[in-house]
Amino acid sequence: MNKTGKPRAGAGAAKVPAATATPARNRQPAETKLAELKRRLLEISDLAAARSVLRWDQATYMPRGGAHARARQGATLSRLAHEKSVDTALGTLLDQLAPYAAGLPYDSDEASLIRIARRDFEKAIKLPSAYVARASALGSASYDAWTRARPANDFAAMLPFLEKAVDLSREYAGFFAPYQHVADPLIDAAEEGMTTASVRSLFAELRSKLIPIVRAICDQPVPGDGCLRGSFSEPAQLGFSLSVVKQFGYDTDRGRLDKTLHPFCTKFSSGDVRITTRVDEKHFGDALFSTMHECGHALYEQGVAAALEGTPLGMGTSAGVHESQSRLWENLVGRGRAFWEHFCPVLRDTFPDQFRQTGFESFYRAINKVQRSLIRTDADEVTYNLHIMMRFDLELELLEGHLHVKDLPEAWRARMQADLGVAPGDDRDGCLQDVHWYGGTGTVGGGFQSYTIGNILSAQFYAAAVKAHPDIPLEIAKGEFGTLRGWLREQLYQHGRKFQPSEVVMRATGGPMSTTPYLVYLREKYGELYRLDLAPLPEHLQNYVPCAAA
Ligand code: ZN
């Protein structure tokens, strides 16, 4: 495979004359077959989109009474989509189109479509329908139980579900044997091309450089964030949040913002990419930063080339790359000094009574407060990754059989104490806090690493954008985001799923995934905020393009 994204040597140029010389009646079947492939893939895409509409409705406006029937309706659509995606006729079409694809440039839409559809098909047929149905049923039942068990702090109620989920995860891995580590197939499903070993070494490197920053910050007094507490009306918070993301470039003719419990972004078509948020009227921040975060996901989806619509290419390439975009817009832009230089006056106009007395620095420090904390979703930019690494290690131990599910609460507490210096008083704020192990696909593993990969990549993409357009921070300080968005669209968004995550990173940034831009970003931003006396960077990193320069 040609990883550079360039046409294979001799493939594009050499085969054109041959194709031109081929009689029309011989070329026709490949084009007809390609049309047939697209027709079949469009049906699968439509079923998935219909399933997404049902999920969006359930998470926003559906009355509670609809839950039982909605679970059945969703399962029906999932089953129909799965049946179509493992149809032997689809496999035959892909076989027949292989020679045609080999004559096309690697990065053409058609070659990419045939390549990715083949990969999806080969993965889908490894999973027996009975397994898919069992995993889906466990996911639904476990999620339903978790919604009651977490508030009740009842880990015992979740024990049998989690034990089954660990078993199902091992069973899933078995369908993709041989593998080096039992979590490899689960990780590959989220981050194509990554393995347990590659994530472990990435995390070990990040961790060794992150810990001194966390220690240096946490030695300092915790800054106050009282200015974020008070009375902030829901309409004003929603209005401010929406005006910000529209300025980022979120197109509300092709999307909308609604309220939900756990914010998310969903896509039904390129003309309909929706985001959701939640509002706490006693606290400013959650609604805005959640909206920015989901807007980052939405900008990615709204930016996918229209030609890829309705195919497996018409979406972001991986969970980690997707998360890099939500983090980039939420944190590197939205929690940045440059951004607030423009938006602070707008904020004071929107909430004059609440922010009249608040100075810029107090506000900026409040929204970037670093603190050792119990809850991942409330964690700051610096300590967040420690929460992820802990979860990643614990789920590996569960899958390896070195940790029994019944011992998870204690292992969680011990690891929190060791890594973050705080331990939860109960499981509600401990191993029951995240939904990831108690729903969804009915499996454990392969999900959490994408958040930290997203953090790492957010800084790497941003640094590359600033290197190409050094005025980006100055533009952000004027409330202008077109150059940044345009670069991301050109380098990342438009390609959808045409390229693997590693290919996307290489094409956009000129190198493989690296923790350096992220660490430089954290050291610069938090070094300045907390006046840290950090050891100097190694010489070869000192000229690295700064991410947060403004
Ligand atoms: Zn996200």
Side-chain angles (χ1 to χ4, degrees):
M1 182 162 47
N2 183 344
K3 297 256 181 188
T4 64
K6 292 178 191 146
R8 293 171 197 212
K15 296 219 171 173
V16 169
T20 310
T22 307
R25 66 178 180 278
N26 287 352
R27 283 206 315 275
Q28 186 63 21
E31 285 153 12
T32 308
K33 287 187 172 78
L34 184 63
E36 170 65 8
L37 176 69
K38 287 183 177 173
R39 187 191 65 74
R40 286 176 173 271
L41 294 173
L42 184 62
E43 278 186 353
I44 297 168
S45 168
D46 282 348
L47 286 166
R51 175 88 172 91
S52 297
V53 176
L54 294 188
R55 279 205 191 108
W56 170 86
D57 174 65
Q58 183 163 18
T60 51
Y61 299 109
M62 189 188 82
R64 289 191 60 168
H68 184 69
R70 186 53 51 89
R72 186 193 67 240
Q73 291 152 357
T76 301
L77 287 175
S78 297
R79 180 175 53 75
L80 290 173
H82 182 71
E83 283 170 8
K84 288 186 181 293
S85 64
V86 296
D87 192 329
T88 50
L90 185 61
T92 306
L93 262 179
L94 289 165
D95 287 343
Q96 292 168 342
L97 281 164
Y100 171 72
L104 297 169
Y106 177 82
D107 57 358
S108 69
D109 287 356
E110 288 76 16
S112 302
L113 177 64
I114 295 164
R115 181 176 66 246
I116 304 299
R118 153 69 61 192
R119 209 161 63 204
D120 288 352
F121 177 75
E122 283 177 359
K123 276 191 178 175
I125 57 170
K126 286 193 169 143
L127 295 176
S129 300
Y131 169 85
V132 173
R134 268 190 297 131
S136 169
L138 177 73
S140 298
S142 180
Y143 175 75
D144 184 52
W146 174 78
T147 59
R148 291 183 297 276
R150 190 190 175 204
N153 187 36
D154 187 1
F155 179 74
M158 297 315 297
L159 192 71
F161 291 103
L162 194 50
E163 282 174 343
K164 281 198 192 95
V166 171
D167 289 344
L168 274 174
S169 308
R170 292 203 192 106
E171 193 179 341
Y172 177 92
F175 298 127
F176 295 90
Y179 46 73
Q180 282 207 311
H181 189 281
V182 64
D184 284 354
L186 294 147
I187 291 172
D188 188 72
E191 299 299 326
E192 187 112 37
M194 293 202 77
T195 62
T196 308
S198 64
V199 176
R200 266 183 173 148
S201 82
L202 181 76
F203 282 12
E205 187 205 332
L206 179 63
R207 186 183 173 84
S208 68
K209 293 171 182 155
L210 197 56
I211 294 279
I213 305 177
V214 172
R215 285 208 185 111
I217 293 176
C218 292
D219 282 348
Q220 314 256 347
V222 178
D225 62 353
C227 63
L228 304 178
R229 296 175 207 289
S231 175
F232 303 89
S233 83
E234 182 176 301
Q237 288 204 60
L238 288 174
F240 184 75
S241 302
L242 190 58
S243 74
V244 166
V245 296
K246 282 170 88 166
Q247 225 157 314
F248 282 172
Y250 179 58
D251 180 357
T252 47
D253 286 337
R254 300 191 294 137
R256 52 178 290 135
L257 172 67
D258 293 276
K259 278 199 310 161
T260 189
L261 206 55
H262 302 288
F264 63 96
C265 167
T266 186
K267 180 182 197 176
F268 310 143
S269 69
S270 63
D272 194 350
V273 180
R274 302 187 189 186
I275 56 176
T276 56
T277 192
R278 63 182 165 209
V279 182
D280 177 352
E281 292 199 307
K282 293 191 171 61
H283 186 265
F284 178 83
D286 195 17
L288 174 65
F289 293 112
S290 293
T291 310
M292 288 181 182
H293 180 102
E294 301 309 332
C295 169
H297 287 302
L299 289 175
Y300 193 174
E301 293 298 336
Q302 286 190 334
V304 175
L308 307 181
E309 169 92 359
T311 77
L313 308 182
M315 65 180 82
T317 191
S318 76
V321 175
H322 231 298
E323 199 63 12
S324 78
Q325 293 314 293
S326 54
R327 306 273 159 164
L328 186 154
W329 289 98
E330 177 195 352
N331 291 333
L332 281 97
V333 175
R335 290 184 207 268
R337 193 175 274 285
F339 174 90
W340 287 104
E341 279 174 15
H342 175 79
F343 278 96
C344 248
V346 188
L347 183 72
R348 287 202 187 97
D349 285 348
T350 311
F351 300 99
D353 296 338
Q354 295 87 339
F355 288 120
R356 193 188 298 124
Q357 308 289 339
T358 309
F360 178 91
E361 283 301 323
S362 305
F363 179 78
Y364 180 59
R365 286 172 72 83
I367 59 166
N368 287 297
K369 183 177 85 166
V370 177
Q371 191 173 22
R372 301 176 197 267
S373 61
L374 295 173
I375 307 294
R376 172 186 65 88
T377 52
D378 295 341
D380 55 81
E381 280 185 277
V382 185
T383 58
Y384 188 93
N385 299 298
L386 299 180
H387 290 263
I388 296 302
M389 291 171 190
M390 182 191 93
R391 286 156 175 76
F392 180 74
D393 289 345
L394 288 176
E395 61 191 17
L396 292 188
E397 286 179 42
L398 286 170
L399 291 169
E400 289 162 353
H402 296 143
L403 174 64
H404 296 293
V405 172
K406 67 178 173 47
D407 299 326
L408 179 63
E410 199 42 53
W412 184 287
R413 275 190 282 278
R415 184 67 190 265
M416 279 295 291
Q417 191 65 51
D419 278 21
L420 283 136
V422 286
D426 61 27
D427 297 330
R428 184 176 15 214
D429 290 341
C431 64
L432 283 175
Q433 69 177 264
D434 295 308
V435 68
H436 301 59
W437 294 339
Y438 311 103
T441 54
T443 52
V444 170
F448 279 116
Q449 78 283 336
S450 298
Y451 295 107
T452 286
I453 290 169
N455 282 332
I456 293 167
L457 289 178
S458 68
Q460 189 168 350
F461 286 129
Y462 187 76
V466 173
K467 190 174 181 183
H469 301 284
D471 283 346
I472 282 176
L474 297 172
E475 290 179 12
I476 291 175
K478 290 187 235 160
E480 295 166 11
F481 306 95
T483 306
L484 175 60
R485 191 181 64 255
W487 185 90
L488 290 166
R489 188 177 196 288
E490 182 71 25
Q491 299 293 330
L492 201 67
Y493 300 170
Q494 63 161 332
H495 302 304
R497 238 181 115 217
K498 276 172 72 168
F499 306 114
Q500 283 200 10
S502 59
E503 294 173 300
V504 167
V505 175
M506 185 65 82
R507 291 169 65 99
T509 71
M513 175 161 47
S514 162
T515 58
T516 301
Y518 181 56
L519 288 160
V520 170
Y521 160 70
L522 290 180
R523 288 171 63 105
E524 283 187 354
K525 178 173 176 178
Y526 291 92
E528 185 254 342
L529 257 170
Y530 283 85
R531 296 182 186 85
L532 300 182
D533 187 19
L534 294 168
L537 280 173
E539 203 169 320
H540 69 284
L541 299 180
Q542 285 180 3
N543 289 327
Y544 205 90
V545 177
C547 297

